[in-house]
Structures are given as C-alpha cells and as structure tokens.
Amino acid sequence: MKIVETIEEVREQVKEWKKQGLSIGLVPTMGYLHEGHRSLMEAARKNNDKVVVSIFVNPMQFGPTEDLAEYPRDLDHDAALCEGVGVDLIFHPEPEEMYMDDFCSFVDMTGLTEGLCGKTRPIHFRGVCTVVTKLFNIVTPDNAYFGQKDGQQLAVIRRMVRDLNMDIEIVGCPIIREEDGLAKSSRNTYLSGEERKAALILSKTIALGEELAKTEKDAAKVVAAMKENIETEPMAKIDYVEAVDALSMEPVETLDGDCMIAMAVYIGKTRLIDNTLIHN
Ligand code: PAF
C-alpha cells in the first residue's frame, strides 16, 4: 500500500492502472477511521481492481465556530486499518495541496442542501461538494463509496453526480452501529463517559421512529413522538428531527414512498446525527 501526499503522485498511479484496464473504487474520508469506514472500504475492495482511500480533513466544510482544529487525526492507525482491508493507495494531502492561496472555484447546490444539517451548517455542503468534485477529478474512480450515516450528504452527492453528468457510480453503504446501537462516528470520541451513555437516545429514538412508522403514516405525529422521546434525556438538545423525501430532502407530510427520518442532537457540546430510511 502506498501513501502519497500530492495530486501528481495520485495521477501517475491512476494513469498506470487505467493503462492496464483496471477499475478504481474511491472511499473519501476525513480519517480517524472506524468500522463504518471499514465497511465502505470492504465494499470497494469487493467490486474494484484498485481501492483508493482519501484522508483529508477538509477545512472548507467546517464553519468558523466548528471543530476543524479539534477534529481527531491518527494517520498511523488509519494506515493500519487500510492495509488490513487491502487498500492500494492512501491520498493524504495537506490543505495547501488541495487549496491554493487564490482558490476561488466552488461547487454549490440549492434545495437539497438548505434543510436538515444545512440549516445549522450553511456552508457545509458547498465545502463537501467542492472537495468531493476535486477528489473525483484527481482520482477519476469508477465507483465511489459513502455511508448512509450522513444521509443528506449521500443524497447531495448523488444529485451532484446526476446534475453535473459525472461518470461515477455512487454506492451508498448502511449505517454501522456500536453493539448498543450508537451510530459509529469519528466525533463519538468527543463524548465523556456520561455523554456516551446519554448519546444512546439517538439510536433508541430512531428505533422508536421505525416502529411507529410501521402503523402511523402521519409524519408530524411520528416526529413529535420522537422529539418527546429525545426530551426525556436531560443531556440532549435537539437541533432537528425531520421526515423528508429520500431523494429531494423536501419535508413530507405522509410517510409514503421512500422517506428518511433524520435527526441532529447535541449531547453536551457534541453534535451527533442519525437517520433511518422508511420504505412504504
Ligand atoms: O463524510 C466525510 O467524511 C466527508 O464529508 C467527505 C465526504 C470525506 C468530504 O470531505
């Protein structure tokens, strides 16, 4: 497994692989890899000749008061995990390699990016779309792998690829959870022991929503019951709980067709997200 830091080195390697007719799977990450990332890499390993993992904490997707400086980093641990899965190349650029001083081109989206996480993180998806486009242009993968845990991000990337005619298959992979239900996230590391216990309110409420949605189609009723449940946890502060169309991210009144019920909840200072897909 190679670890490279420059765009030129990635391009040279990719050119070589393409000459041999090999397919490439890309797993974009911000590092501090966990089982959720491993599942993406394993899916990529299964279906591609070569697997590239990018590890880049993208400053452009963090707001000025967000956790860019504290975001956990551990390249040695990440490299070992990648090696174990059989990744071929890690692309680990410095911010200066990705963004020149006079960088001024962005990929932006209306609609899908405005609700849910977009409300409290107004510049987030512009940063995500821009960096993912850059990674797609650098690696030119056949397939790219993203987790359903970031359900809105996955919908946004699928739409971007469709709207901008990017010739890349986007593969969404299921949420991976801890044994007790908490969705795996690099940000779980911010939680104290007490907060870690309190954080279970997210997955428990997702399970409640799934159960209610089996018989109740009124989205407002399901969401209200979920919010009430979260409010029983004193350490939790709701950012949002919403039922949206799975493709457009528009709020829905009725849980018909393919919907997503998504939430963001603060546990202490840590903002955690979770979601479930409802198919009716
Ligand atoms: O999901 C993430 O880790 C990031 O948003 C991504 C897709 C790697 C872009 O920086």
Side-chain angles (χ1 to χ4, degrees), residues 177 180-183 199-208 263 274:
R177 297 182 179 279
D180 61 7
L182 181 67
L200 282 183
I201 197 68
L202 280 93
S203 53
K204 283 185 179 158
T205 305
I206 287 291
L208 171 71
M263 62 170 68
D274 204 340

Side-chain angles (χ1 to χ4, degrees), residues 44-88:
R45 181 65 288 161
K46 228 174 168 182
N47 291 310
N48 299 274
D49 297 315
K50 297 291 175 187
V51 176
V52 179
V53 172
S54 62
I55 298 180
F56 178 58
V57 182
N58 174 34
M60 198 189 284
Q61 68 190 71
F62 288 80
T65 59
E66 291 182 352
D67 56 340
L68 173 63
E70 303 91 70
Y71 198 85
R73 293 155 166 91
D74 187 346
L75 185 61
D76 290 344
H77 162 269
D78 291 349
L81 203 149
C82 290
E83 184 99 60
V85 178
V87 167
D88 298 284

Side-chain angles (χ1 to χ4, degrees), residues 30-215:
M30 298 207 299
Y32 213 70
L33 305 178
H34 50 68
E35 294 302 308
H37 297 110
R38 186 206 292 272
S39 74
L40 305 181
M41 294 185 218
E42 282 171 351
R45 181 65 288 161
K46 228 174 168 182
N47 291 310
N48 299 274
D49 297 315
K50 297 291 175 187
V51 176
V52 179
V53 172
S54 62
I55 298 180
F56 178 58
V57 182
N58 174 34
M60 198 189 284
Q61 68 190 71
F62 288 80
T65 59
E66 291 182 352
D67 56 340
L68 173 63
E70 303 91 70
Y71 198 85
R73 293 155 166 91
D74 187 346
L75 185 61
D76 290 344
H77 162 269
D78 291 349
L81 203 149
C82 290
E83 184 99 60
V85 178
V87 167
D88 298 284
L89 180 73
I90 293 179
F91 176 42
H92 180 243
E94 290 296 326
E96 304 75 50
E97 178 71 6
M98 293 296 273
Y99 301 115
M100 290 177 177
D101 284 345
D102 56 353
F103 186 92
C104 58
S105 307
F106 302 91
V107 181
D108 209 350
M109 187 182 292
T110 55
L112 274 82
T113 57
E114 286 161 20
L116 306 178
C117 289
K119 267 194 202 140
T120 39
R121 309 190 72 190
I123 59 142
H124 175 67
F125 289 110
R126 182 171 91 147
V128 169
C129 287
T130 302
V131 81
V132 169
T133 300
K134 284 170 69 68
L135 291 167
F136 285 176
N137 285 335
I138 294 163
V139 179
T140 62
D142 300 276
N143 303 295
Y145 296 78
F146 295 88
Q148 177 57 40
K149 154 88 183 346
D150 296 290
Q152 186 177 16
Q153 170 174 282
L154 178 56
V156 163
I157 288 166
R158 284 192 198 284
R159 180 63 66 91
M160 176 182 84
V161 163
R162 190 206 73 176
D163 285 355
L164 301 182
N165 309 103
M166 296 174 171
D167 192 12
I168 295 167
E169 188 70 35
I170 301 300
V171 183
C173 299
I175 298 176
I176 303 295
R177 297 182 179 279
E178 303 283 355
E179 254 175 46
D180 61 7
L182 181 67
K184 299 253 185 191
S185 164
S186 306
R187 288 190 168 98
N188 291 349
T189 178
Y190 298 151
L191 301 168
S192 68
E194 217 185 325
E195 288 170 343
R196 172 67 183 77
K197 279 186 211 146
L200 282 183
I201 197 68
L202 280 93
S203 53
K204 283 185 179 158
T205 305
I206 287 291
L208 171 71
E210 284 169 349
E211 197 51 40
L212 292 174
K214 286 182 186 160
T215 51

